[in-house]
Amino acid sequence: QATVTQIYGEKRTKIPESVDFFLKNAHTGLSGKWVNSLNSCCFSLALSGVEEDVIMDVMEQLAPNGSLDAKDRYQIKRAVRDGKNAV
């Protein structure tokens, strides 16, 4: 399971709500809301300055079927780009 330290490179007690929710629930598949939650989480991470390769590695670990598919990877890249451009 991915940890906050793995994502941010340090221990943090405060992280964005969307990131916290996703880390705790991604393994369940989120009742069909995986992509929406994935987008929100990745956008928040990029906005916080987390690099795309770190985000991709973490999301790979959290994927409910054991790995990301092409659609997931596209969504992550798009959300990360949007998050970085929002700064």
Side-chain angles (χ1 to χ4, degrees), residues 9-48:
E10 63 185 15
K11 288 188 178 188
R12 288 188 175 187
T13 54
K14 289 191 169 202
I15 60 172
E17 186 176 329
S18 61
V19 174
D20 184 50
F21 175 81
F22 197 79
L23 289 177
K24 290 177 180 171
N25 298 290
H27 68 283
T28 68
L30 297 161
S31 303
K33 304 282 189 210
W34 163 264
V35 171
N36 290 344
S37 294
L38 177 71
N39 284 339
S40 181
C41 178
C42 292
F43 180 88
S44 294
L45 289 172
L47 198 58
S48 299

Side-chain angles (χ1 to χ4, degrees), residues 24-84:
K24 290 177 180 171
N25 298 290
H27 68 283
T28 68
L30 297 161
S31 303
K33 304 282 189 210
W34 163 264
V35 171
N36 290 344
S37 294
L38 177 71
N39 284 339
S40 181
C41 178
C42 292
F43 180 88
S44 294
L45 289 172
L47 198 58
S48 299
V50 180
E51 294 298 324
E52 183 177 320
D53 60 334
V54 172
I55 295 171
M56 198 67 78
D57 288 347
V58 168
M59 294 308 138
E60 187 75 45
Q61 293 175 43
L62 294 173
N65 5 340
S67 69
L68 299 170
D69 61 21
K71 181 180 175 185
D72 294 330
R73 290 180 189 283
Y74 171 79
Q75 294 294 340
I76 292 167
K77 286 181 178 293
R78 194 179 83 187
V80 168
R81 182 194 66 226
D82 292 349
K84 287 186 185 232

